[in-house]
Amino acid sequence: HFLALVRAGFYDKKKFYRLIPGGLVQGGNETGEANISLKAEFSDRPHKTGTLSAARGNDPDSASSEFFICLADQPNLNGRYTVYGQVKDGLDSIKELNRIKTDHSPCAGCGKNLGGGFVEGHCGNHHHDAPQVDIVIKTMKVIETKK
């Protein structure tokens, strides 16, 4: 499903709508377009800097067109999310996203500052980890490597 969306240009010119500095950047489609529920395919691949993985809700089988890229190693996510791939080119750009301010630095709702680390649950539902500047995917391509 993910590869078909990439090849069709589905992600081109879409924004990353969630950013957790020191954690991850999330994109895809939060409005429901092209969303279907996919069965989880967990593996032993680690969530390290640049890992591309399926975003989902509380149900492990709820992934669809949304995805995230790890901005730093996230061993707490290992075995809990479906890993699709690894960023090979542009990893320095991925790391630079850690500098972008969000509505949670500090949180616009309560003033709490996470200090740039990834904390599950954060401080409630009154923020969305929205970047203060647009982060746009120019184009997304799949480069398959031969083993």
Side-chain angles (χ1 to χ4, degrees), residues 27-41:
N29 185 38
E30 62 180 331
T31 62
E33 180 186 355
N35 283 351
I36 60 172
S37 291
L38 301 172
K39 182 142 180 62
E41 298 174 351

Side-chain angles (χ1 to χ4, degrees), residues 6-7 12 16 19 22 29 32 51 70-71 76 85 89 93 103-104 107 110 112 123 129 142 145:
V6 170
R7 289 181 180 125
D12 295 356
F16 284 107
L19 171 67
N29 185 38
T51 296
C70 295
L71 301 179
N76 56 316
D89 293 327
S93 296
D103 69 349
H104 205 186
C107 177
C110 68
K112 183 177 178 183
C123 60
D129 298 313
V142 175
T145 58

Side-chain angles (χ1 to χ4, degrees), residues 15-131:
K15 295 177 187 175
F16 284 107
Y17 58 85
R18 182 177 188 213
L19 171 67
I20 302 171
L24 55 86
V25 63
Q26 186 170 332
N29 185 38
E30 62 180 331
T31 62
E33 180 186 355
N35 283 351
I36 60 172
S37 291
L38 301 172
K39 182 142 180 62
E41 298 174 351
F42 301 137
S43 71
D44 59 356
R45 292 182 183 166
H47 282 80
K48 56 187 181 179
T49 305
T51 296
L52 175 71
S53 197
R56 61 170 175 79
N58 290 330
D59 179 355
D61 296 332
S62 64
S64 60
S65 64
E66 295 180 55
F67 67 94
F68 63 87
I69 299 172
C70 295
L71 301 179
D73 292 355
Q74 300 298 327
N76 56 316
L77 302 179
N78 292 347
R80 297 175 50 205
Y81 292 84
T82 303
V83 174
Y84 290 151
Q86 183 68 31
V87 173
K88 292 293 184 187
D89 293 327
L91 200 52
D92 289 341
S93 296
I94 295 295
K95 292 177 184 177
E96 282 296 311
L97 296 177
N98 285 308
R99 297 175 180 239
I100 296 174
K101 297 282 187 191
T102 70
D103 69 349
H104 205 186
S105 46
C107 177
C110 68
K112 183 177 178 183
N113 192 335
L114 294 179
F118 180 74
V119 178
E120 287 194 53
H122 306 283
C123 60
N125 294 323
H126 51 266
H127 65 89
H128 303 284
D129 298 313

